[in-house]
């Protein structure tokens, strides 16, 4: 019995090990198991993993040394990642048993090229195709550095390694690796680009990348001659004179290359604390080698180019080879003198160009209103024709002209017509500062589908009835476009893009959108309203029947009202795909009033950007928490909400009861006074209409037997309490006149007459029924 229980317990442990072994997470099934042991503070290779895993990720741990046969239990490994540990030595048989391994990465450790690698350390890795041992040099070594033996890695295709100051590749056997295709040098401390640096490299190299090199001398022209098959050359953050960088292209004259990319190639990036590029003026002599190369993709990015001479930057002998050209992050202008002419000539020659990007450094060019632009085509003092025609590469699909200032006066306020624009599908004019938005015309079919007008004042064009090149745009980006001012002026800017399906109006400081803003955008599916000031979702959103993705990140939303919640749920049912709602960055209110909203977040079928639905929210006491925690503690946090509701109901009922009973009580207790006041008011109105004048309110006649009651009770009530003037026969009839006349006159001057009938009343002369 006990043995059976132990066996079952052992089976459970084995089954669980395939899901979570120690501190590692296992994914995949069958022959596709992967072990994620990254960032676990491991000091050794775990031994309790499934023996059939094909990938082991041990990056960002605390491993210092790898023991012999450290991976012998995992002979099916194909990918092994040991990045960013503290490994300083590899023993001879460290990788024994890994004949199937095709990717090994030791990036970012402490492996010294001279001392850390055993002579035959990589010999077991007969199937290895990718080896990354870059960023292991943490200091500059002026001595010769002998690279490890790699001659047995016959299948090696990609090699990433550091480049020391005085590298020696002769003993490494790299020249025997006939399949080696790509070299990437990271942490490059090369001091000189000499003709002998790469003599022992294989001639099969097609792609070379240099990252972070500091070159202290002028490069030799044949520095790259050992690579006759080179098709891609990339220099990134290489501190060398731009003239020297262009000089190393000499071996590739009259050859074809797929890509030449110079990014941040300037000694200024390694000099001083500011680390900004020195000013570079490109000349024809500097460009003479590049101009003779048939290049498919040319990139010159942030190289400090401030100007160029004639027949230099825009002059090439093989312009038909270009498919992509990018001049980004420099400071030169092409809008004056010979430059615009050379650009137009180049445009007519680059027949196969599909992408052209010319991006400046926003804010780097000071704007002057006093004629800083001297270009004869766009000079503000010139008398323009009725229309300017500009040629356009017939196969150009993507045009990027962004981050420019100082062009406010260079654009003529007349129509600009582009020729052969039918292939253009992508246009980026973001942050192209201007004071006038030109009227753009074109010949041929309009296929423009993506337009970015971010940073351009929308008030410059929002008042137009139509902009032809926006008519069929599917994606429109309008970041930082002053849309708030456009809405304030009552302009319906989105009428210009009736076909738009994706709209980005983030970063506009918007707090409202007109209710009819999207009436013309029936096909709008994706709407980005993030990074604005919305305290509630604009009602205009509800007019978008095809909306499938709404972004409201980093606004001022505190809740989503029930109307919008119901609309979102209905929209989710109508759509074939799930509605996506992005809300990260808002701080919601987790109070009794919003308890229904909190429940809705977890019950709706809408997909949120936070998969765990952990949005920030503020409790009643001001504590910041998240919606997941509030939902889990919902009954504890909102247990008093119902009692508060009942308290409100009770208060409302009490107020209603008082409001109902108080008037009734007043009517019951003061009914006679109220009736009299009403009667008196009515009578006064009638008397006023009859123009009657009365001296007394009441004429009172009584016998002597009632005189005491009349004097002590009735008169006190009438005169003192009710403030009525009373004429009493025995008190107010003066002697001297005929008594009968005096009584008759007093009765006529009284509004009311009261006779108190008693036994003694008949004794009076007026009380006798026969008199």
């Amino acid at each position: 019995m006990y043995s059976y229980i132990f066996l079952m317990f052992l089976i459970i442990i084995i089954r669980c090990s395939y899901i979570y072994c120690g501190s590692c997470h296992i994914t995949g099934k069958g022959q596709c198991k992967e072990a994620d042991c990254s960032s676990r503070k491991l000091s050794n290779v775990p031994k309790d993993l499934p023996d059939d895993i094909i990938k082991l990720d041990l990056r960002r741990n605390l491993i210092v040394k790898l023991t012999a046969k450290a991976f012998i239990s995992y002979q099916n490994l194909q990918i092994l990642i040991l990045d960013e540990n503290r490994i300083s030595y590899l023993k001879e048989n460290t990788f024994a048993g890994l004949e199937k391994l095709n990717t090994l990465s030791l990036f970012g450790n402490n492996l010294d090229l001279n001392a850390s690698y055993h002579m035959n350390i990589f010999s077991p890795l007969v199937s290895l195709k990718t080896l990354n041992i870059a960023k292991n040099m943490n200091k500059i070594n002026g001595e010769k550095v002998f690279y490890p033996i790699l001659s047995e890695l016959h299948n090696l295709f990609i090699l990433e390694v550091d480049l020391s100051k005085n590298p020696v590749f002769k003993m490494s056997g790299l020249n025997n690796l006939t399949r080696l295709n790509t070299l990437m040098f990271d942490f490059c401390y090369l001091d000189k680009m000499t003709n002998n640096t790469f003599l022992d490299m294989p001639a099969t190299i097609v792609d070379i990348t240099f990252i972070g090199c500091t070159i202290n001398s002028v490069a030799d022209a044949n520095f790259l001659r050992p690579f006759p098959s080179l098709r891609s050359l990339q220099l990134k953050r290489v501190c060398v004179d731009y003239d020297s960088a262009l000089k190393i292209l000499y071996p590739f004259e009259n050859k074809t290359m797929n890509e030449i990319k110079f990014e941040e190639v300037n000694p200024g990036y390694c000099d001083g604390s500011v680390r900004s590029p020195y000013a570079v003026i490109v000349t024809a002599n500097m460009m003479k080698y590049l101009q003779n190369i048939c290049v498919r993709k040319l990139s010159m990015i942030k190289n400090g180019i401030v100007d160029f001479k004639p027949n230099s930057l825009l002059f090439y002998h093989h312009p038909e080879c270009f498919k992509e050209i990018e001049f980004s992050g420099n400071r030169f202008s092409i809008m004056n003198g010979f430059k615009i002419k050379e650009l137009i000539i180049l445009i007519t020659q680059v027949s196969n160009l599909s992408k052209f990007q010319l991006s400046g450094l926003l804010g780097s060019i000071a704007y002057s209103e006093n004629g800083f632009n001297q270009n004869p085509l766009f000079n503000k003092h010139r008398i323009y024709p009725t229309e300017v025609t500009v040629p356009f590469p017939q196969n150009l699909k993507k045009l990027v002209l962004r981050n420019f200032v100082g062009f406010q006066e260079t654009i003529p306020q007349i129509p600009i017509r582009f020729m052969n624009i039918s292939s253009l599908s992508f246009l980026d004019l973001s942050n192209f500062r201007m004071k006038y938005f030109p009227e753009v015309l074109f010949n041929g079919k309009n296929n423009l589908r993506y337009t970015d007008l971010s940073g351009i004042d929308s008030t410059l064009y929002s008042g137009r009835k139509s902009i032809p090149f926006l008519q069929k745009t599917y994606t429109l980006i309008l970041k930082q476009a002053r849309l708030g001012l456009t809405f304030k002026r009552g302009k319906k800017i989105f009428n210009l893009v009736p076909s738009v399906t994706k709209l980005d109006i983030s970063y506009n400081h918007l707090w409202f959108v007109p209710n009819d803003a999207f009436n013309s955008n029936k096909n709008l599916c994706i709407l980005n309203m993030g990074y604005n000031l919305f305290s509630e979702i604009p009602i205009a959103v509800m007019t978008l029947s095809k909306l499938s993705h709404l972004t409201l990140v980093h606004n001022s939303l505190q809740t989503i009202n029930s109307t919008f919640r119901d609309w979102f749920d209905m929209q989710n049912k109508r759509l074939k795909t799930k509605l996506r709602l992005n809300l990260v960055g808002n701080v919601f209110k987790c109070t009794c009033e919003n308890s229904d909203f909190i429940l809705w977040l977890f019950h709706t079928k809408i997909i949120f950007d936070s998969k765990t639905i952990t949005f920030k929210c503020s409790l009643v006491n001001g504590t910041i928490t998240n919606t997941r925690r509030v939902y889990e503690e919902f009954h504890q946090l909102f247990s008093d909400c119902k009692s508060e509701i009942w308290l409100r109901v009770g208060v409302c009922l009490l107020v209603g009861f008082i409001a109902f009973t108080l008037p009734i009580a007043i009517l019951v207790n003061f009914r006679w006074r109220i009736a009299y006041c009403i009667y008196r008011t009515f009578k006064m109105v009638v008397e006023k209409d009859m123009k009657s004048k009365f001296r007394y309110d009441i004429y009172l006649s009584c016998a002597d037997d009632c005189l005491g009651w009349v004097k002590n009770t009735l008169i006190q009530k009438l005169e003192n309490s009710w403030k009525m003037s009373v004429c009493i026969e025995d008190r107010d009839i003066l002697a001297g006149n005929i008594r009968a006349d005096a009584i008759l006159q007093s009765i006529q001057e009284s509004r009311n007459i009261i006779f108190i009938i008693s036994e003694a009343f008949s004794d009076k002369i007026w009380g006798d029924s026969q008199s």
Side-chain angles (χ1 to χ4, degrees):
M1 180 65 180
Y2 292 105
S3 61
Y4 175 75
I5 295 175
F6 175 77
L7 180 62
M8 292 298 296
F9 180 72
L10 182 61
I11 292 173
I12 292 173
I13 292 178
I14 293 174
R15 291 187 63 183
C16 290
S17 68
Y18 284 87
I19 300 173
Y20 193 83
C21 299
S23 60
C24 300
H25 183 58
I26 311 300
T27 59
K29 296 180 181 180
Q31 298 180 353
C32 299
K33 293 189 183 72
E34 299 180 1
D36 182 4
C37 304
S38 60
S39 304
R40 313 281 176 167
K41 297 183 179 180
L42 300 175
S43 57
N44 294 293
V45 178
K47 302 295 184 181
D48 57 346
L49 304 177
D51 56 8
D52 57 347
I53 57 173
I54 62 171
K55 179 180 178 180
L56 176 57
D57 188 349
L58 286 165
R59 78 184 76 194
R60 291 189 295 273
N61 280 292
L62 305 176
I63 301 174
V64 177
K65 291 184 178 181
L66 292 174
T67 60
K69 300 181 180 181
F71 305 96
I72 195 67
S73 300
Y74 313 119
Q75 297 187 19
N76 289 318
L77 273 180
Q78 297 178 20
I79 302 174
L80 177 59
I81 302 174
L82 293 161
D83 298 345
E84 300 178 50
N85 280 275
R86 302 175 183 177
I87 303 171
S88 58
Y89 186 74
L90 301 173
K91 289 190 175 181
E92 179 179 2
N93 296 322
T94 296
F95 301 116
L98 299 182
E99 288 81 6
K100 297 181 181 180
L101 193 71
N102 58 47
T103 300
L104 173 61
S105 183
L106 289 158
F107 175 90
N109 283 282
N110 299 320
L111 294 169
D112 188 289
L113 288 170
N114 277 332
S116 297
Y117 299 90
H118 190 273
M119 182 179 297
N120 298 317
I121 183 63
F122 296 117
S123 58
L125 307 177
V126 294
S127 300
L128 195 67
K129 294 181 180 179
T130 302
L131 175 61
N132 186 352
I133 53 175
K135 284 204 172 180
N136 277 275
M137 293 175 58
N138 51 20
K139 62 180 180 179
I140 300 176
N141 188 352
E143 301 177 355
K144 290 185 178 180
V145 174
F146 294 87
Y147 281 71
I149 297 176
L150 305 172
S151 57
E152 298 186 26
L153 302 178
H154 299 292
N155 293 304
L156 192 63
F157 189 80
I158 300 173
L159 175 62
E160 298 183 39
V161 65
D162 300 327
L163 188 58
S164 64
K165 190 172 184 179
N166 294 310
V168 178
F169 297 105
K170 187 173 183 179
M171 303 299 294
S172 65
L174 282 172
N175 55 350
N176 296 324
L177 303 181
T178 57
R179 296 186 179 181
L180 188 60
N181 177 276
T182 302
L183 276 177
M184 180 178 289
F185 296 106
D186 207 342
F187 264 39
C188 173
Y189 293 106
L190 190 65
D191 187 41
K192 297 179 181 180
M193 289 181 170
T194 68
N195 295 338
N196 298 323
T197 303
F198 295 125
L199 279 179
D200 298 308
M201 284 287 182
T204 57
I205 300 298
V206 173
D207 188 336
I208 294 182
T209 300
F210 297 90
I211 300 176
C213 294
T214 302
I215 311 301
N216 296 321
S217 62
V218 178
D220 290 343
N222 285 313
F223 173 68
L224 296 176
R225 182 169 290 278
F227 308 108
S229 302
L230 194 67
R231 294 293 179 269
S232 176
L233 174 64
Q234 299 185 51
L235 276 67
K236 298 180 181 179
R237 206 168 187 87
V238 175
C239 298
V240 63
D241 290 334
Y242 205 65
D243 190 6
S244 290
L246 291 170
K247 188 178 181 181
I248 66 175
L249 297 174
Y250 166 69
F252 310 107
E253 276 192 299
N254 300 315
K255 292 185 177 181
T256 299
M257 295 191 69
N258 293 330
E259 181 178 9
I260 296 177
K261 182 176 183 179
F262 288 2
E263 182 176 351
E264 297 186 358
V265 178
N266 193 297
Y269 286 114
C270 299
D271 188 14
S273 58
V274 177
R275 297 183 181 273
S276 59
Y278 299 150
V280 174
I281 299 177
V282 178
T283 64
N285 186 59
M286 293 168 61
M287 296 286 292
K288 61 184 178 181
Y289 301 133
L290 177 57
Q291 289 173 346
N292 289 318
I293 302 174
C294 178
V295 186
R296 290 184 175 24
K297 181 178 180 180
L298 175 63
S299 302
M300 294 185 176
I301 304 171
K302 297 181 181 179
N303 296 313
I305 302 174
V306 297
D307 200 2
F308 59 91
K309 298 297 182 179
N311 298 324
S312 58
L313 194 64
L314 299 178
F315 178 78
Y316 300 92
H317 295 297
H318 303 284
E320 72 282 356
C321 296
F322 285 120
K323 290 188 175 180
E324 295 185 21
I325 297 177
E326 179 177 356
F327 299 136
S328 298
N330 294 289
R331 293 176 287 172
F332 60 85
S333 172
I334 61 172
M335 301 297 290
N336 55 4
F338 68 92
K339 298 174 184 177
I340 190 67
K341 297 178 181 178
E342 288 192 351
L343 178 62
I344 292 176
I345 293 172
L346 182 63
I347 288 173
T348 60
Q349 294 174 340
V350 286
S351 55
N352 294 309
L353 189 69
S354 62
K355 177 185 176 182
F356 181 74
Q357 179 167 339
L358 179 62
S359 302
L361 289 172
L362 187 62
S364 63
I365 303 176
Y367 170 64
S368 172
E369 295 188 0
N370 297 321
F372 91 96
N373 174 48
Q374 302 299 325
N375 172 41
L377 179 61
F378 292 141
N379 191 274
K380 62 182 180 179
H381 299 297
R382 176 174 178 162
I383 299 176
Y384 297 110
T386 57
E387 182 177 288
V388 174
T389 301
V390 179
F392 209 81
Q394 59 183 359
N395 292 313
L396 190 65
K397 297 179 180 178
K398 186 173 183 178
L399 177 61
V400 179
L401 300 171
R402 63 187 177 196
N403 296 339
F404 283 108
V405 296
F407 286 87
Q408 291 94 332
E409 303 296 329
T410 67
I411 301 175
Q413 297 186 17
I414 58 174
I416 301 176
R417 182 176 296 275
F418 290 96
M419 309 296 291
N420 302 320
I421 202 172
S422 300
S423 298
L424 188 66
S425 61
F426 184 103
L427 177 62
D428 185 351
L429 297 175
S430 56
N431 296 310
F432 198 113
R433 299 294 173 83
M434 59 185 72
K435 289 185 177 179
Y436 170 77
F437 193 85
E439 182 181 353
V440 178
L441 306 175
F442 51 86
N443 289 346
K445 187 178 179 181
N446 179 12
N447 290 311
L448 188 61
R449 298 295 180 263
Y450 180 101
T451 306
D452 190 344
L453 300 178
S454 299
I456 299 177
D457 190 350
S458 60
T459 60
L460 296 178
Y461 56 88
S462 59
R464 300 184 183 181
K465 294 181 179 180
S466 175
I467 298 179
F469 72 87
L470 293 179
Q471 288 297 304
K472 295 187 178 181
T473 292
Y474 292 160
T475 301
L476 179 63
I477 313 298
L478 291 175
K479 298 179 181 179
Q480 298 176 340
R482 300 185 72 190
L483 290 177
L485 182 57
T486 296
F487 293 148
K488 186 177 180 180
R489 294 179 178 178
K491 304 297 184 181
K492 297 183 179 181
I493 185 172
F494 303 131
N495 291 356
L496 301 173
V497 281
S499 302
V500 69
T501 60
K502 180 179 180 181
L503 177 63
D504 188 343
I505 56 173
S506 57
Y507 297 96
N508 274 283
H509 305 289
L510 295 174
W511 58 272
F512 86 101
V513 171
N515 294 345
D516 59 350
F518 305 120
N519 284 357
S520 300
N521 311 117
K522 302 302 181 182
N523 297 317
L524 188 58
C525 301
I526 302 174
L527 177 59
N528 186 351
M529 305 174 76
Y531 295 91
N532 282 295
L533 304 173
F534 293 114
S535 59
E536 57 184 15
I537 304 176
I539 297 176
V541 172
M542 299 181 71
T543 63
L544 302 174
S545 59
K546 294 185 179 181
L547 186 67
S548 61
H549 194 159
L550 177 61
T551 298
L552 287 160
V553 299
H554 295 279
N555 275 279
S556 301
L557 298 179
Q558 295 183 347
T559 187
I560 297 177
N561 60 48
S562 59
T563 302
F564 261 107
R565 296 199 299 265
D566 294 340
W567 186 84
F568 284 141
D569 289 333
M570 291 178 59
Q571 186 74 358
N572 196 49
K573 292 179 180 179
R574 286 197 300 262
L575 298 173
K576 295 181 180 179
T577 58
K578 295 291 185 181
L579 177 66
R580 294 181 176 271
L581 185 60
N582 297 348
L583 297 171
V584 168
N586 293 284
V587 181
F588 297 104
K589 277 192 173 182
C590 290
T591 59
C592 291
E593 293 82 0
N594 288 345
S595 58
D596 292 341
F597 166 64
I598 302 300
L599 293 175
W600 176 80
L601 287 175
F602 292 89
H603 294 164
T604 185
K605 295 182 180 180
I606 291 174
I607 299 176
F608 295 101
D609 49 341
S610 175
K611 294 182 179 179
T612 56
I613 315 181
T614 52
F615 301 112
K616 285 185 178 181
C617 74
S618 173
L619 300 177
V620 177
N621 59 6
T623 303
I624 301 298
T625 182
N626 62 73
T627 51
R628 166 64 63 177
R629 183 176 179 183
V630 169
Y631 178 72
E632 292 173 352
E633 301 176 2
F634 187 85
H635 296 291
Q636 179 180 349
L637 292 172
F638 300 115
S639 59
D640 297 333
C641 290
K642 291 185 177 180
S643 60
E644 183 179 346
I645 293 173
W646 284 114
L647 178 61
R648 291 183 179 181
V649 171
V651 170
C652 292
L653 291 175
L654 179 60
V655 171
F657 175 77
I658 293 174
F660 179 75
T661 56
L662 184 60
I664 296 176
I666 293 174
L667 289 172
V668 170
N669 287 278
F670 299 95
R671 59 188 182 277
W672 295 114
R673 183 173 294 183
I674 293 171
Y676 174 72
C677 289
I678 294 172
Y679 168 74
R680 184 176 181 181
T681 302
F682 175 76
K683 190 171 182 181
M684 288 178 64
V685 171
V686 173
E687 290 172 352
K688 185 176 182 181
D689 293 338
M690 296 176 62
K691 298 182 180 180
S692 301
K693 295 183 179 180
F694 297 99
R695 184 178 177 185
Y696 305 107
D697 293 317
I698 298 174
Y699 176 85
L700 179 63
S701 176
C702 63
D704 293 339
D705 58 344
C706 297
L707 193 60
W709 174 78
V710 168
K711 180 180 179 181
N712 296 325
T713 301
L714 183 58
I715 294 301
Q716 295 294 328
K717 190 71 171 177
L718 295 175
E719 292 186 339
N720 297 334
S721 298
W722 291 0
K723 306 298 181 182
M724 302 177 73
S725 60
V726 180
C727 177
I728 302 175
E729 180 181 331
D730 297 327
R731 184 188 68 181
D732 298 311
I733 302 297
L734 300 178
N737 296 328
I738 299 174
R739 186 172 181 80
D741 294 340
I743 291 174
L744 181 59
Q745 182 179 355
S746 297
I747 290 174
Q748 290 178 347
E749 293 177 350
S750 300
R751 290 189 177 88
N752 305 286
I753 302 171
I754 298 177
F755 290 101
I756 300 176
I757 307 302
S758 62
E759 293 180 358
F761 188 77
S762 58
D763 297 335
K764 293 175 62 72
I765 187 171
W766 302 102
D768 187 1
S769 58
Q770 297 180 357
S771 57

